[in-house]
């Protein structure tokens, strides 16, 4: 049996591939390499497929059958909330359309377990500690696309042919090794690294939110911890009779953008006063997860601190 990992050459996907390989799993990597890097998964074959194309359905089905796949972890998607506000159709075509093609491809195969890369963006402008039972009201098309993905998968699971774990994870940082670094400048930590490495002050978008220091508050999780949550979710689906569940994957602690920038200054020894810019479209003020359900059902909890996230990310960045 094997595990299909879509988006397996991406930042998060490659960490999951590494942990699956460590425990001896057979892995089938699917990635269109539009943002993923083949260097992250050296030694593994990459099946370069654009899942947003209808032609991918038969190709993916053949891969699943040829490799006796029984489970899938689906990362492949576009993920910039601000970009989604200006390109909503593109995000729905890529994220929702791609997911529909994946589901269609799995019909008639032995894949009966589906771990979905969802997002805390489904909660929108949530306040306080957010439970999985909280109202889902996304503030941007990216969040809409993730919530639609969950709803589609939950309906599929009601047919009784596939079990689903929707992992709603929060802001990701850190690196398991230099080869797996986050090379994007769409996430806060690499954005700050990019600025200070070029002798420029980091930028903060919005200083007038209803938070203690006026900047957005987020729940930051180390990518190594996040990757392990996906393996725990696979094990859960192997043992449970439940057909669909949603889990917050975070630390349960919130840090403001300003606090993260200050931690980066402390770790790197490169200190700049941040440049305060207007708010970005689609950014909620505060999203912090209540993560007790993941511990209770998956037996999973985060282990690594914000400092460890920044230290590992900076080490990878400098190498």
């Amino acid at each position: 049996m094997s595990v299909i990992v879509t988006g397996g050459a991406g930042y998060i996907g490659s960490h999951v591939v590494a942990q699956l390989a460590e425990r001896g799993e057979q892995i089938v990597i699917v990635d269109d390499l539009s943002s993923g890097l083949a260097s992250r998964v050296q030694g593994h074959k990459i099946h370069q497929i654009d899942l947003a194309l209808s032609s991918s359905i038969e190709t993916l089905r053949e891969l699943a059958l040829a490799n006796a796949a029984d489970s899938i972890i689906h990362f492949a998607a576009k993920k910039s909330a601000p970009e989604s506000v200006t390109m909503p159709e593109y995000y729905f075509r890529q994220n929702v359309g791609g997911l529909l093609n994946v589901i269609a491809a799995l019909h008639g195969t032995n894949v009966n377990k589906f771990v979905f890369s969802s997002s805390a963006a489904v909660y929108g402008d949530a306040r306080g500690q957010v439970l999985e039972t909280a109202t889902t009201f996304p503030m941007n098309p990216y969040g809409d696309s993730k919530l639609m993905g969950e709803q589609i998968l939950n309906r599929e699971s009601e047919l009784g042919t596939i079990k689903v774990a929707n992992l709603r994870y929060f802001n990701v940082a850190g690196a398991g090794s230099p080869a797996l670094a986050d090379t994007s400048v769409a996430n806060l930590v690499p954005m700050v690294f990019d600025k200070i490495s070029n002798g420029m002050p980091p930028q903060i978008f919005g200083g007038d939110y209803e938070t203690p220091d006026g900047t957005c508050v987020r729940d930051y999780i180390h990518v190594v911890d996040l990757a392990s949550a996906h393996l725990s979710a696979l094990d859960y689906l192997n043992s449970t009779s439940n057909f669909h569940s949603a889990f917050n994957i975070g630390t349960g602690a919130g840090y403001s953008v300003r606090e993260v920038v200050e931690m980066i200054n402390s770790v790197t020894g490169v200190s700049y006063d941040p440049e305060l810019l207007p708010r970005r479209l689609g950014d909620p003020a505060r999203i912090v997860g209540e993560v007790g359900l993941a511990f209770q059902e998956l037996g999973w909890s985060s282990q690594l601190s914000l400092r460890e996230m920044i230290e590992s990310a900076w080490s990878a960045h400098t190498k």
Side-chain angles (χ1 to χ4, degrees), residues 178-202:
L180 304 183
D182 185 0
T183 57
S184 163
V185 289
N187 296 327
L188 175 61
V189 172
M191 283 174 65
V192 175
F193 287 173
D194 181 63
K195 289 294 184 182
I196 65 177
S197 294
N198 288 287
M200 301 168 65

Side-chain angles (χ1 to χ4, degrees), residues 113-173:
K113 295 175 286 290
F114 200 119
V115 179
F116 179 55
S117 168
S118 189
S119 170
V122 302
Y123 295 120
D125 194 9
R127 303 296 174 94
Q129 299 292 117
V130 184
L131 284 161
E132 289 86 350
T133 53
T135 300
T136 50
F137 194 79
M139 292 183 65
N140 50 63
Y142 166 70
D144 286 332
S145 73
K146 289 298 183 180
L147 183 57
M148 288 179 188
E150 288 192 20
Q151 292 168 339
I152 291 165
L153 284 166
N154 291 346
R155 290 298 189 186
E156 285 289 321
S157 73
E158 289 170 2
L159 299 175
T161 57
I162 192 167
K163 293 187 287 186
V164 174
N166 297 306
L167 302 190
R168 297 173 176 172
Y169 41 83
F170 291 73
N171 289 46
V172 189

Side-chain angles (χ1 to χ4, degrees), residues 95-289:
N95 295 2
V96 180
L99 173 62
L100 289 170
N101 287 341
V102 168
I103 292 170
L106 299 181
H107 291 160
T109 73
N110 292 320
V111 176
N112 62 0
K113 295 175 286 290
F114 200 119
V115 179
F116 179 55
S117 168
S118 189
S119 170
V122 302
Y123 295 120
D125 194 9
R127 303 296 174 94
Q129 299 292 117
V130 184
L131 284 161
E132 289 86 350
T133 53
T135 300
T136 50
F137 194 79
M139 292 183 65
N140 50 63
Y142 166 70
D144 286 332
S145 73
K146 289 298 183 180
L147 183 57
M148 288 179 188
E150 288 192 20
Q151 292 168 339
I152 291 165
L153 284 166
N154 291 346
R155 290 298 189 186
E156 285 289 321
S157 73
E158 289 170 2
L159 299 175
T161 57
I162 192 167
K163 293 187 287 186
V164 174
N166 297 306
L167 302 190
R168 297 173 176 172
Y169 41 83
F170 291 73
N171 289 46
V172 189
S177 71
L180 304 183
D182 185 0
T183 57
S184 163
V185 289
N187 296 327
L188 175 61
V189 172
M191 283 174 65
V192 175
F193 287 173
D194 181 63
K195 289 294 184 182
I196 65 177
S197 294
N198 288 287
M200 301 168 65
Q203 297 174 330
I204 293 178
F205 295 94
D208 58 350
Y209 288 95
E210 294 180 5
T211 60
D213 65 16
T215 66
C216 289
V217 172
R218 296 290 185 268
D219 186 337
Y220 292 87
I221 180 171
H222 199 299
V223 66
V224 170
D225 281 338
L226 178 59
S228 71
H230 290 78
L231 275 66
S232 295
L234 269 186
D235 294 340
Y236 166 79
L237 293 179
N238 273 319
S239 61
T240 187
S241 58
N242 294 333
F243 278 92
H244 59 84
S245 302
F247 299 98
N248 288 338
I249 305 297
T251 64
Y255 295 92
S256 73
V257 173
R258 191 176 295 277
E259 287 175 318
V260 174
V261 170
E262 289 172 354
M263 179 65 76
I264 291 172
N265 286 344
S266 172
V267 167
T268 65
V270 182
S271 183
Y272 284 94
D273 290 328
E275 178 186 5
L276 194 61
L277 298 176
R279 296 184 183 191
R280 299 185 304 185
L281 293 172
D283 274 350
R286 174 183 170 86
I287 302 181
V288 178

